[in-house]
Amino acid sequence: KIASLQETSQDVTKQLKDTWKQLQNAKDELVAVREECEHENAALLSNIRQLNREMGLYTLIVDSYIPQEYQELIQHHALWDEETQEWHLHAIAYTGNNMRREE
């Protein structure tokens, strides 16, 4: 009977050690995933800041060269195409340099 209890004790101890190793591995993996998420979030935040700077520059350029009334006119006539993921203006082919005569 004592040998049976010792074997059972050894089996339970082995299972406990295996479970403990699994827990430690899960904790290590959790730490790694958290670090990866933190790095990804930092990269995304940096990207957002860069895009905000670029947008500010583009807005400054547009505001400097295109009068507000024309900006509103362009915004009113611009259409977003979901398929191509681009903005389109109707009849743009008939404007500006596109209408120059070919010589």
Side-chain angles (χ1 to χ4, degrees), residues 17-30:
K17 286 181 181 180
D18 290 343
T19 305
W20 183 256
K21 285 180 185 178
Q22 289 175 351
L23 175 64
Q24 294 305 317
N25 289 338
K27 285 182 178 181
D28 292 343
E29 186 177 341
L30 179 62

Side-chain angles (χ1 to χ4, degrees), residues 10 18 28 30 35 45 65 76 83 88 91 97 103:
Q10 288 175 351
D18 290 343
D28 292 343
L30 179 62
E35 288 175 356
L45 184 59
Y65 290 100
H76 179 71
E83 277 187 32
H88 294 281
N97 291 338
E103 298 176 29

Side-chain angles (χ1 to χ4, degrees), residues 1-69:
K1 210 174 191 183
I2 293 176
S4 173
L5 288 176
Q6 286 177 343
E7 288 177 9
T8 305
S9 173
Q10 288 175 351
D11 289 343
V12 169
T13 302
K14 184 179 184 289
Q15 289 177 353
L16 182 60
K17 286 181 181 180
D18 290 343
T19 305
W20 183 256
K21 285 180 185 178
Q22 289 175 351
L23 175 64
Q24 294 305 317
N25 289 338
K27 285 182 178 181
D28 292 343
E29 186 177 341
L30 179 62
V31 168
V33 168
R34 282 186 179 160
E35 288 175 356
E36 182 181 339
C37 286
E38 287 175 9
H39 291 305
E40 187 174 327
N41 284 343
L44 289 171
L45 184 59
S46 175
N47 192 21
I48 288 170
R49 288 181 177 144
Q50 178 64 31
L51 290 171
N52 281 336
R53 282 191 295 271
E54 288 178 21
M55 186 65 179
L57 176 62
Y58 295 146
T59 301
L60 179 66
I61 291 169
V62 167
D63 289 345
S64 297
Y65 290 100
I66 301 175
Q68 186 64 34
E69 62 190 56

